[in-house]
Amino acid sequence: MDTFKAFVCLIFIAFCVNGSIAYIVNPGPMVQATKGEIWPKPKAQTIGETFYTVRPKVLKFEVVTNFTCEILEKAIKRYIRIISSTKDRRKHNRSKSRHSTSHIDTMSWQTDPFYEGNLDLVKIRLTSECEKYPSLQMDESYSLSLNDQMGIIESKSIWGILRGLESFSQMLVLTEDKMTFRVNTTEIFDEPRYPHRGLLLDTSRHYINVFTIMQILDGMTYNKLNVFHWHIVDDQSFPYQSKAFPELSNLGAYDQSLVYTQKDVVKVIEHARYRGIRVMVEFDTPGHTRSWGISHPEILTSCGGQLSGQLGPINPTVNASYEFMENLLREIVEVFPDDYVHIGGDEVGFECWESNTEIGEYMTKNSVQNYQMLEEIYIQRIVDTVHSLNASSVVWQEVFENGVRLPNGTVVQVWTGNRQSLLQQITKQGLPALLSSCWYLDHLQSGGDWKTFYGCDAADFAGTDEQKKLVFGGEACMWSEVVDNGNVLQRIFPRVSATAEKLWSPYEVKDLDDAARRLEEHTCRMKMRGLPAQPPNGAGFCLNN
């Protein structure tokens, strides 16, 4: 009988355990990675058949205009290091292989009829002075030409030069000797589709250390993302060390070793600035503030009834709340140089407000008909305060849905519900919008869920061309309930790469098979640079593992 079972298993190509048959699922073919393709895909690129070799020890970047700055100088050093380390790692891994490579003719590319010699010089043409900080209005367009045994990267802004350097570094493919690269003759004109291409990181549910944050910023650079949305505090902890209110972190952080000092904040902002990334901080109120109340219970609502003894959202009926918020916001605008401050406004539970008799009396006296209107009163004051400090606000969609009168330029971020309908409504009122609802990185599926993210586009809603221009872009969101320093990088990369391409590349770039092949290469590229990105497409390999 056992022989018969074995025979049946062979016939059905199955695996038998204890007499039961478990059919082998066809895994499908492995995704064949591209070589030297740029992620995200450029707006316009022409690739020739001829190619050059690039020798890392000889390659030079030369600024050929009168405009340069520390951002550019550091970027050149950084990309020389990236290019050299790629060669060194692959050479090291090849030398450790048990398979001999002595039979490879390491100079075979010199006999290729399309080989045109060495490319040893890349000229950088920056045609205007460097800006100090990236902004929503920054120009990230660039052109890149590889012809006549020379490269030229040109842009009107330092930020475009940074994007061009990243693209050049991605085009280099190691030759058989693992000592040199090859790169095809190329002409590129590239610019982003949207000006706001962000990644939200929550550092309250789990503290993410500064070193890991800087790795995340590096990974954002490799994907041409340009906004680090720092959701820095929440109900669970208050890890920001305030200058005006140090007691907030002294009592509200998980531990004093799990706090972002002012020096830490400067370090993150500077690391981002040198890579053309804005740091937009979020202090979410009036909800998500339980950690605030440990040191400042006077600004939160004292619940009554069955909730007696608990503290709820910020109390919008007392002057102490607004005085506190004005002082804190003044500090935030000073510490974080970006033009935008995210003030939250989402998921406000009204149960505590309902249970507080003083709030009920205030509502009756001031003809406040419901708790949405009460929230509107609070948010209106906070938005006006930010505006008075010469900054602009970003808010979650509930603020818009509750009817707050938002100043011109206030950005509404869509995170749930019918995104097409919400984008249409927000932009119809002349307000700019950001999309996040389809790019939640904490929503995990089986491998390959980046394809779901890739299928979402911020322009897919019913609206006029003018309305669609009001969509500034979007953000992928990494909430940290189930991630910490040990796994956050793998959860973000390469899944955020899908969002990055949808926000950079033209609308017409949507071929999923082509994206899968390019993302396979890009993931290996990120691994080569020391970023532990998880596999994007199931079975496969990276030679640098």
Side-chain angles (χ1 to χ4, degrees):
M1 187 64 179
D2 290 339
T3 303
F4 176 76
K5 287 180 181 178
F7 177 73
V8 171
C9 287
L10 287 172
I11 293 176
F12 290 98
I13 317 176
F15 178 73
C16 300
V17 179
N18 295 329
S20 62
I21 297 177
Y23 292 97
I24 296 175
V25 178
N26 182 1
M30 287 191 297
V31 173
Q32 184 66 40
T34 54
K35 291 185 177 181
E37 293 282 352
I38 297 170
W39 191 285
K41 198 175 186 70
K43 183 175 183 178
Q45 180 178 14
T46 302
I47 303 175
E49 291 184 329
T50 56
F51 70 93
Y52 307 111
T53 50
V54 175
R55 299 170 294 177
K57 290 185 178 181
V58 180
L59 177 66
K60 292 183 179 180
F61 293 92
E62 178 184 348
V63 181
V64 296
T65 62
N66 292 326
F67 300 107
T68 188
C69 58
E70 190 178 16
I71 295 176
L72 178 52
E73 292 166 0
K74 287 194 173 185
I76 290 172
K77 292 179 180 177
R78 186 166 64 249
Y79 279 100
I80 288 175
R81 185 169 61 250
I82 286 172
I83 292 168
S84 297
S85 65
T86 299
K87 179 263 298 181
D88 292 342
R89 288 191 188 199
R90 285 295 295 273
K91 180 184 177 184
H92 174 71
N93 288 337
R94 175 66 70 178
S95 67
K96 289 172 63 178
S97 172
R98 62 185 177 89
H99 298 290
S100 172
T101 59
S102 59
H103 66 282
I104 296 176
D105 180 2
T106 59
M107 306 296 284
S108 61
W109 39 264
Q110 289 191 338
T111 62
D112 192 306
F114 294 108
Y115 173 60
E116 291 199 345
N118 297 316
L119 188 152
D120 296 334
L121 177 65
V122 176
K123 293 185 177 182
I124 295 176
R125 292 178 178 168
L126 173 60
T127 59
S128 64
E129 292 184 359
C130 295
E131 299 167 89
K132 185 175 182 180
Y133 287 101
S135 68
L136 180 68
Q137 295 78 26
M138 64 179 168
D139 184 352
E140 296 173 273
S141 64
Y142 68 92
S143 63
L144 192 159
S145 174
L146 302 180
N147 272 304
D148 300 324
Q149 293 184 251
M150 182 176 65
I152 298 174
I153 300 174
E154 183 171 353
S155 178
K156 296 177 182 177
S157 82
I158 180 60
W159 318 119
I161 296 294
L162 296 184
R163 307 308 176 223
L165 284 167
E166 177 60 34
S167 291
F168 174 76
S169 72
Q170 293 186 13
M171 296 167 62
L172 304 180
V173 179
L174 277 168
T175 58
E176 294 92 337
D177 65 359
K178 304 297 177 274
M179 295 294 292
T180 57
F181 297 94
R182 59 181 290 166
V183 62
N184 284 59
T185 53
T186 304
E187 296 288 339
I188 292 175
F189 173 74
D190 199 10
E191 63 182 358
R193 184 176 167 207
Y194 291 105
H196 186 121
R197 307 178 308 281
L199 169 65
L200 177 150
L201 179 68
D202 165 23
T203 58
S204 172
R205 275 75 178 206
H206 281 98
Y207 176 85
I208 308 298
N209 64 41
V210 173
F211 178 76
T212 303
I213 290 175
M214 290 195 293
Q215 285 183 290
I216 290 170
L217 292 170
D218 290 343
M220 291 175 64
T221 305
Y222 307 151
N223 290 277
K224 297 189 175 76
L225 292 167
N226 68 352
V227 181
F228 177 60
H229 176 168
W230 196 351
H231 187 92
I232 195 167
V233 300
D234 210 293
D235 279 331
Q236 290 77 9
S237 72
F238 197 104
Y240 169 73
Q241 188 181 77
S242 168
K243 293 186 290 185
F245 304 103
E247 63 275 10
L248 284 166
S249 61
N250 288 344
L251 298 177
Y254 288 133
D255 185 83
Q256 289 312 292
S257 65
L258 306 177
V259 168
Y260 302 108
T261 66
Q262 290 292 317
K263 288 183 178 180
D264 290 334
V265 171
V266 170
K267 188 181 295 185
V268 169
I269 292 172
E270 286 296 282
H271 197 83
R273 180 172 76 91
Y274 281 105
R275 288 154 181 78
I277 298 173
R278 298 162 49 201
V279 177
M280 181 180 73
V281 74
E282 178 181 358
F283 285 80
D284 193 358
T285 67
H288 294 276
T289 51
R290 280 181 292 177
S291 64
W292 305 40
I294 301 173
S295 60
H296 285 272
E298 75 280 1
I299 69 170
L300 299 191
T301 303
S302 296
C303 307
Q306 294 182 343
L307 301 175
S308 181
Q310 299 183 36
L311 293 175
I314 286 179
N315 190 333
T317 69
V318 296
N319 288 331
S321 298
Y322 300 107
E323 292 172 359
F324 176 90
M325 287 303 301
E326 182 176 352
N327 289 327
L328 181 61
L329 287 167
R330 184 175 288 108
E331 175 186 326
I332 291 167
V333 170
E334 176 189 321
V335 171
F336 295 88
D338 196 67
D339 294 332
Y340 287 84
V341 176
H342 204 303
I343 60 172
D346 65 318
E347 296 182 318
V348 181
F350 297 141
E351 299 84 0
C352 187
W353 285 354
E354 291 172 351
S355 69
N356 184 289
T357 56
E358 293 178 357
I359 286 181
E361 292 170 0
Y362 171 92
M363 293 175 67
T364 300
K365 181 179 179 180
N366 293 277
S367 301
V368 179
Q369 299 174 5
N370 54 51
Y371 295 99
Q372 285 82 5
M373 289 181 62
L374 185 63
E375 182 185 0
E376 177 188 345
I377 290 170
Y378 171 81
I379 291 291
Q380 192 72 62
R381 288 277 296 268
I382 301 304
V383 168
D384 292 345
T385 298
V386 172
H387 191 66
S388 72
L389 296 170
N390 298 316
S392 299
S393 298
V394 182
V395 297
W396 294 109
Q397 68 186 60
E398 288 95 325
V399 174
F400 170 81
E401 292 171 316
N402 288 341
V404 176
R405 292 177 292 103
L406 297 173
N408 290 338
T410 303
V411 182
V412 182
Q413 188 165 1
V414 175
W415 71 276
T416 189
N418 186 325
R419 65 176 184 268
Q420 290 92 346
S421 175
L422 282 163
L423 290 171
Q424 197 276 338
Q425 294 173 47
I426 292 164
T427 55
K428 188 175 183 180
Q429 292 196 19
L431 292 170
L434 295 173
L435 177 63
S436 287
S437 57
C438 52
W439 295 317
Y440 264 46
L441 302 177
D442 56 309
H443 294 181
L444 293 173
Q445 301 175 30
S446 59
D449 63 351
W450 68 267
K451 295 178 181 178
T452 302
F453 302 148
Y454 200 80
C456 177
D457 196 285
D460 287 341
F461 68 96
T464 65
D465 289 342
E466 291 303 312
Q467 283 180 258
K468 294 189 177 185
K469 289 178 182 178
L470 286 170
V471 179
F472 285 174
E475 294 181 351
C477 298
M478 186 71 258
W479 302 101
S480 67
E481 284 88 348
V482 294
V483 296
D484 59 14
N485 296 307
N487 65 344
V488 67
L489 290 165
Q490 294 90 334
R491 292 285 177 89
I492 293 174
F493 302 103
R495 298 160 73 233
V496 75
S497 301
T499 304
E501 181 151 290
K502 301 309 292 184
L503 294 172
W504 178 282
S505 303
Y507 179 79
E508 295 74 23
V509 176
K510 54 179 63 177
D511 186 324
L512 200 58
D513 291 337
D514 175 69
R517 295 178 63 241
R518 289 187 294 110
L519 188 57
E520 191 75 17
E521 178 188 13
H522 188 52
T523 300
C524 289
R525 180 186 296 130
M526 288 189 284
K527 284 177 174 289
M528 187 78 72
R529 296 181 181 187
L531 199 67
Q534 70 180 26
N537 298 306
F541 66 96
C542 293
L543 292 179
N544 56 288
N545 273 358

